[in-house]
Amino acid sequence: MKISLDQAKKLLISGSVVALPTETVYGLAALFSLPSAIEKIYTLKGRPKQNPLIVHVNDLSSVYFYTKELPPQTESIMKTFWPGPLTLVLPANLERVPEIVRSGKPTVAFRIPSHPIISTIIEAVGPLVAPSANLSGKPSATKTSHVENDFGIDFPVIDGGEIEKGVESTILVYAQGEWKIGRLGSISPEDFAPCLGYTPKTYEKVSKDPICPGSSYRHYSPNAHLHLGSLENCNGGVILGYSDRVYPNASIVISMGDSTNPHSIMKNLYTSLRKLDEMGILEAFIDIQFPMEGLYLTIYERFFRAADI
Ligand code: TXA
Ligand code: MG
């Protein structure tokens, strides 16, 4: 159910959860200051309680208020990339950040989004926690129809049209003396080099356990069984491919945009994965013939996780 900004503000203040657009994906928002509302997010999504939430704020002073002893370069990272699709995991001020937000961890994740709708709502009601607005494990939502599909047509959502970026924020975490990528996202690792003086490595490359609990669960997955790699075995089947390529051995091609433009692929990624379910497709092949660098790493990671390999 499409709602106005005023209706969203009232619902949030009264302890309800509403879906709203950010520049990355739709979020499922609740007031940071209302643990009973945050509880509802976990129930609605079927989200494991060990998976903490990102706090969305509008200014650096909120970040300082809720954290302590910030790692080196935090301020210059914040000033370079916010507002925008970056999340920072920082040491929490444990008295000020409720346990339910951090899932009991000593850290808390922050981001200042750049989408005017969520910024306006934060301005009016204060900080929001907001995971992606999808059922846990399913592809994220980049259109209101995706939100309605997962939570029902009566679920309150502010319509922001189709989302600009299409994949979640990049998460940076400070560990073992350097910043690392906790989750690949819509800012590529190389983009941090001018600010940090180095390109951050992905955390999983240096540790077996992901630092972001969300990265250890099945994620972004449609019902279809997905094959990555060779398209040769697709005998008249379904291919998730690109508009600038031809696929003679496929009966259905779902185009994710131009293979040379990772931004267009990211924008169409979750819509394409969701299309498989909408069409009742049970098996599909994904074309991953692209350079394994920059934003293509994010795209590959989402496909890999969606395929649950
Ligand atoms: O673009 C985004 O970040 C979107 C929009 C709505 O802002 N939000 C989003 O939230 O992707 P969610 O809940 O789907 O993913 C949050 C990720 C999870 O992998 C979670 O484990 C990680 O952030 N996370 C949150 N707090 C953390 C913490 N204190 N330490 C490590 N990872 C954390
Ligand atoms: Mg998510």
Side-chain angles (χ1 to χ4, degrees), residues 45 132 134 168 219:
K45 279 186 65 105
S132 50
N134 53 281
E168 293 84 349
H219 232 120

PDB file of all heavy atoms in Angstrom, residues 45 132 134 168 219, ligand 2:
ATOM      1  N   LYS A  45      10.842 -10.114   8.563  1.00  0.00           N
ATOM      2  CA  LYS A  45      11.800 -10.628   7.585  1.00  0.00           C
ATOM      3  C   LYS A  45      12.130 -12.100   7.789  1.00  0.00           C
ATOM      4  O   LYS A  45      12.654 -12.750   6.893  1.00  0.00           O
ATOM      5  CB  LYS A  45      13.121  -9.843   7.686  1.00  0.00           C
ATOM      6  CG  LYS A  45      13.124  -8.515   6.976  1.00  0.00           C
ATOM      7  CD  LYS A  45      14.511  -7.882   7.007  1.00  0.00           C
ATOM      8  CE  LYS A  45      15.565  -8.658   6.243  1.00  0.00           C
ATOM      9  NZ  LYS A  45      15.982  -8.106   4.966  1.00  0.00           N
ATOM     10  N   SER A 132      17.502  -4.364   4.289  1.00  0.00           N
ATOM     11  CA  SER A 132      16.865  -4.398   2.970  1.00  0.00           C
ATOM     12  C   SER A 132      15.450  -4.972   3.117  1.00  0.00           C
ATOM     13  O   SER A 132      15.203  -5.850   3.952  1.00  0.00           O
ATOM     14  CB  SER A 132      17.705  -5.242   2.022  1.00  0.00           C
ATOM     15  OG  SER A 132      18.014  -6.494   2.602  1.00  0.00           O
ATOM     16  N   ASN A 134      13.301  -7.154   2.097  1.00  0.00           N
ATOM     17  CA  ASN A 134      12.994  -8.443   1.482  1.00  0.00           C
ATOM     18  C   ASN A 134      12.887  -9.480   2.587  1.00  0.00           C
ATOM     19  O   ASN A 134      13.422  -9.272   3.679  1.00  0.00           O
ATOM     20  CB  ASN A 134      14.134  -8.840   0.531  1.00  0.00           C
ATOM     21  CG  ASN A 134      15.482  -8.793   1.225  1.00  0.00           C
ATOM     22  OD1 ASN A 134      16.061  -7.722   1.396  1.00  0.00           O
ATOM     23  ND2 ASN A 134      15.950  -9.937   1.685  1.00  0.00           N
ATOM     24  N   GLU A 168      23.163  -3.180  -2.496  1.00  0.00           N
ATOM     25  CA  GLU A 168      23.328  -2.568  -1.185  1.00  0.00           C
ATOM     26  C   GLU A 168      24.625  -1.759  -1.060  1.00  0.00           C
ATOM     27  O   GLU A 168      25.526  -1.861  -1.894  1.00  0.00           O
ATOM     28  CB  GLU A 168      23.327  -3.672  -0.107  1.00  0.00           C
ATOM     29  CG  GLU A 168      22.014  -4.398   0.058  1.00  0.00           C
ATOM     30  CD  GLU A 168      21.809  -5.533  -0.930  1.00  0.00           C
ATOM     31  OE1 GLU A 168      22.593  -5.644  -1.899  1.00  0.00           O
ATOM     32  OE2 GLU A 168      20.866  -6.312  -0.727  1.00  0.00           O
ATOM     33  N   HIS A 219      21.384 -16.096   0.674  1.00  0.00           N
ATOM     34  CA  HIS A 219      20.969 -14.714   0.436  1.00  0.00           C
ATOM     35  C   HIS A 219      20.645 -14.484  -1.019  1.00  0.00           C
ATOM     36  O   HIS A 219      21.205 -15.143  -1.882  1.00  0.00           O
ATOM     37  CB  HIS A 219      22.155 -13.806   0.789  1.00  0.00           C
ATOM     38  CG  HIS A 219      21.796 -12.715   1.718  1.00  0.00           C
ATOM     39  ND1 HIS A 219      22.367 -12.552   2.935  1.00  0.00           N
ATOM     40  CD2 HIS A 219      20.914 -11.700   1.604  1.00  0.00           C
ATOM     41  CE1 HIS A 219      21.874 -11.494   3.537  1.00  0.00           C
ATOM     42  NE2 HIS A 219      20.978 -10.955   2.740  1.00  0.00           N
TER      43      HIS A 219
HETATM   44 MG    MG B   2      19.759  -7.655   3.170  1.00  0.00          MG
END
